[in-house]
């Protein structure tokens, strides 16, 4: 009886090894809400490059919130209607089946918010449209109170049902509209001074540019707590490979595991790909079987092909010459993080001329800020791919 692969390439991870530090901090915040019944005063934002595990982490937060009897609203930012209307939709769906008596105030708050946002014009569900029509900012503050009322009413209804409170989860927060981000941060600022006993929390995840997007939209960015989500350590990658197999009674030989961990280089997406392909090459093993080094080696060839497809698709997004030059210069400089000034020198340009291509490449998910003044390709192996395709030599270090 062949067993299907327990790995999850391209899907939410069931378990998130290597994220204990994040989860411990989140767990503590959730306890504040569920056990002590308090507001979680800061909005935590976990940010990192494509495929690093942001959605999987946020789904863990959702599960843990539910395990603590909280009600949850999950929203993916970037819908045309805006983030606040999307949260309102989520609240409406959440309370839909609750007894009328409990959801009365929520329904009322929803209609007030909708009126404010659309100005009573049916079909204009965009919060930005409602505001710009009324002259921007002043109106935005107006909608903040309606949004607050909705959150208060929903949280209260949750408590009435003997649940512990409300947890809102926002994925892809870099795509949120600025007006909604402002509304949310004002609301949290008011809660912080007026409603500290309101058991509500908001957690977000997004690409690295989330930080810039939020800071540009709000004036009180200290309401947000930014945390960078990084690649997995070798130990975490080993656990991510070994655990799902062990649960099916399948082992990994030590050298197979070493080879797979080395190959994945800490990138969660590659961890899942190599795991899945090794599982296939081991013949969808039954309980009692072992994944061996030769399975990993055969798998690596397949993953290579998958990754080349991914890389080709990404590289095809780089259409402007200056961006391509940027990528080529980075690839010539090696596989790890590269200093911004070194890239500029390699391109024969002043460092401050690179701001635009840099942010466009970050937006396209090709590169990411690794630490101050350093840039890095988002997926391990991309530099070698670019050198290969464009027939480039590594620049000798001096
Ligand atoms: N801690 C982890 N250990 C092992 N694999 C993981 C871990 N977290 C996520 N993954 C796997 O990595 C891949 C990417 O995960 P996920 O979709 O959560 O990332 P993401 O950062 O949200 O990506 P994107 O930016 O494309 O939305 C998935 O295949 C997932 O199963
Ligand atoms: Mg995601």
């Amino acid at each position: 009886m062949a067993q299907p692969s327990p790995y999850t390439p391209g899907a939410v991870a069931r378990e998130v090894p290597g994220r204990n530090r994040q989860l411990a901090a989140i767990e503590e915040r959730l306890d504040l809400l569920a056990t002590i019944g308090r507001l979680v005063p800061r909005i935590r934002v976990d940010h990192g490059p494509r495929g690093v595990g942001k959605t999987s982490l946020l789904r863990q937060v959702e599960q843990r919130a539910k395990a603590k009897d909280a009600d949850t609203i999950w929203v993916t930012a970037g819908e045309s209607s805006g983030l606040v209307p999307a949260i309102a939709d989520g609240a409406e769906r959440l309370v839909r089946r609750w007894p009328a008596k409990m959801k009365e105030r929520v329904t009322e708050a929803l209609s007030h918010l909708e009126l404010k946002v659309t100005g009573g014009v049916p079909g204009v569900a965009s919060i930005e449209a409602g505001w710009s029509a009324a002259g921007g900012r002043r109106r935005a503050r107006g909608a903040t109170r309606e949004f607050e009322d909705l959150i208060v009413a929903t949280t209260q209804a949750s408590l009435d049902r003997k649940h512990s409170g409300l947890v809102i989860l926002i994925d892809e927060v870099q795509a949120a509209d600025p007006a909604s981000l402002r509304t949310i941060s004002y609301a949290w600022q008011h809660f912080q001074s007026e409603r500290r006993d309101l058991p509500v929390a908001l957690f977000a995840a997004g690409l690295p540019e989330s930080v810039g997007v939020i800071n540009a939209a709000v004036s009180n960015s200290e309401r947000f707590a930014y945390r960078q989500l990084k690649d997995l350590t070798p130990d975490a990658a080993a656990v991510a490979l070994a655990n799902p197999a062990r649960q099916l009674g399948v082992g990994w030989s030590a050298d197979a595991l070493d080879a797979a961990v080395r190959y994945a280089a800490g990138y969660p997406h590659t961890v899942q790909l190599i795991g899945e392909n090794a599982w296939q090459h081991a013949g969808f093993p039954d309980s009692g079987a072992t994944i061996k080094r030769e399975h990993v080696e055969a798998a690596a060839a397949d993953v290579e092909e998958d990754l080349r497809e991914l890389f080709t698709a990404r590289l095809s997004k780089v259409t402007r010459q200056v961006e391509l030059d940027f990528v080529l210069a980075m690839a010539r400089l090696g596989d790890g993080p590269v200093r911004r000034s070194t890239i500029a020198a390699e391109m024969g340009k002043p460092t401050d001329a690179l701001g635009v291509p840099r942010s466009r490449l970050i937006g396209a998910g090709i590169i990411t800020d690794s630490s101050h003044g350093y840039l890095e390709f988002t997926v391990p192996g991309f530099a070698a791919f670019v050198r290969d395709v464009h027939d480039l030599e590594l620049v000798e270090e001096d």
Side-chain angles (χ1 to χ4, degrees), residues 12 49-56 74 171-172 205-206:
V12 168
R50 285 263 167 245
V52 82
K54 301 177 295 295
T55 303
S56 300
W74 178 282
D171 200 9
E172 305 280 354

Side-chain angles (χ1 to χ4, degrees), residues 48-390:
R50 285 263 167 245
V52 82
K54 301 177 295 295
T55 303
S56 300
L57 178 65
L58 205 58
R59 285 291 180 193
Q60 281 289 326
V61 181
E62 183 187 39
Q63 275 179 28
R64 283 163 193 240
K66 286 195 163 126
K68 290 180 193 296
D69 280 331
D71 289 301
T72 60
I73 295 176
W74 178 282
V75 182
T76 304
E79 287 177 25
S80 57
S81 64
L83 180 56
V84 161
I87 294 174
D89 279 351
E92 186 170 29
R93 268 199 307 277
L94 175 68
V95 304
R96 195 169 288 161
R97 288 177 212 294
W98 294 3
K101 191 163 61 68
M102 286 179 187
K103 67 179 182 194
E104 208 168 29
R105 283 186 52 207
V106 178
T107 314
E108 197 183 305
L110 273 167
S111 64
H112 287 165
L113 177 66
E114 192 175 13
L115 194 66
K116 200 72 173 197
V117 166
T118 63
V121 185
V124 188
S126 158
I127 194 161
E128 197 75 88
W131 288 346
S132 37
R137 243 49 199 211
R138 212 154 41 87
R139 188 68 183 265
R141 286 231 177 76
T144 302
R145 288 299 180 185
E146 279 72 19
F147 178 68
E148 284 174 36
D149 288 347
L150 173 65
I151 299 303
V152 171
T154 311
T155 308
Q156 199 55 56
S158 167
L159 294 174
D160 291 347
R161 299 173 73 216
K162 302 277 177 268
H163 281 201
S164 60
L166 178 67
V167 176
I168 302 170
L169 305 133
I170 303 175
D171 200 9
E172 305 280 354
V173 69
Q174 81 283 344
D177 55 305
S180 290
L181 289 171
R182 262 197 302 280
T183 298
I184 290 169
S185 77
Y186 279 133
W188 246 254
Q189 185 174 323
H190 295 155
F191 288 163
Q192 166 75 16
S193 50
E194 299 161 13
R195 297 261 183 195
R196 303 187 71 147
D197 55 354
L198 187 73
V200 60
L202 201 156
F203 295 91
L207 293 173
E209 67 259 34
S210 305
V211 181
V213 168
I214 294 170
N215 287 346
V218 311
S219 53
N220 53 347
S221 55
E222 68 280 2
R223 287 272 66 80
F224 295 82
Y226 300 110
R227 297 286 180 271
Q228 198 176 1
L229 199 60
K230 295 192 175 157
D231 283 346
L232 300 174
T233 62
D235 285 349
V239 172
L241 288 165
N243 245 358
R246 202 182 44 216
Q247 285 164 15
L248 298 177
V250 174
W252 280 72
S253 77
D255 57 345
L257 200 54
D258 282 350
V261 166
R262 219 174 314 116
Y263 183 82
Y267 187 52
H269 181 70
T270 315
V271 168
Q272 300 299 333
L273 275 177
I274 193 81
E276 171 124 319
N277 281 284
W279 191 269
Q280 267 170 36
H281 281 282
F284 300 91
D286 288 330
S287 181
T290 301
I291 296 176
K292 302 212 174 67
R293 179 158 190 151
E294 70 233 39
H295 303 138
V296 174
E297 276 158 10
D302 293 349
V303 174
E304 204 68 40
E305 240 173 77
D306 279 352
L307 285 177
R308 284 186 81 89
E309 264 172 45
L310 179 88
F311 290 159
T312 307
R314 291 216 180 173
L315 193 57
S316 72
K317 285 198 214 153
V318 184
T319 47
R320 292 189 171 78
Q321 190 60 44
V322 57
E323 290 163 28
L324 186 61
D325 290 346
F326 196 115
V327 166
L328 300 187
M330 257 181 88
R332 279 197 299 271
L333 289 164
D335 300 293
V338 208
R339 208 183 256 285
R340 232 183 282 169
S341 53
T342 314
I343 303 170
E346 178 68 18
M347 293 172 72
K349 295 202 173 209
T351 307
D352 54 15
L354 297 185
V356 175
R358 174 181 156 269
S359 22
R360 291 188 55 99
L361 288 168
I362 289 179
I366 308 254
I367 62 172
T368 181
D369 278 315
S370 60
S371 60
H372 193 69
Y374 282 81
L375 292 165
E376 192 172 9
F377 287 116
T378 51
V379 188
F382 192 73
F385 169 81
V386 172
R387 287 196 300 273
D388 188 38
V389 171
H390 285 268

Side-chain angles (χ1 to χ4, degrees), residues 17-74:
R19 302 303 188 212
N20 290 341
R21 210 161 37 82
Q22 287 82 354
L23 288 171
I26 288 164
E27 192 78 23
E28 201 182 283
R29 306 283 88 188
L30 289 175
D31 276 337
L32 192 62
L33 176 144
T35 317
I36 321 183
R38 298 283 294 264
L39 169 78
V40 177
R42 292 177 88 200
I43 297 169
R44 180 182 166 111
V45 181
D46 284 279
H47 59 93
R50 285 263 167 245
V52 82
K54 301 177 295 295
T55 303
S56 300
L57 178 65
L58 205 58
R59 285 291 180 193
Q60 281 289 326
V61 181
E62 183 187 39
Q63 275 179 28
R64 283 163 193 240
K66 286 195 163 126
K68 290 180 193 296
D69 280 331
D71 289 301
T72 60
I73 295 176
W74 178 282

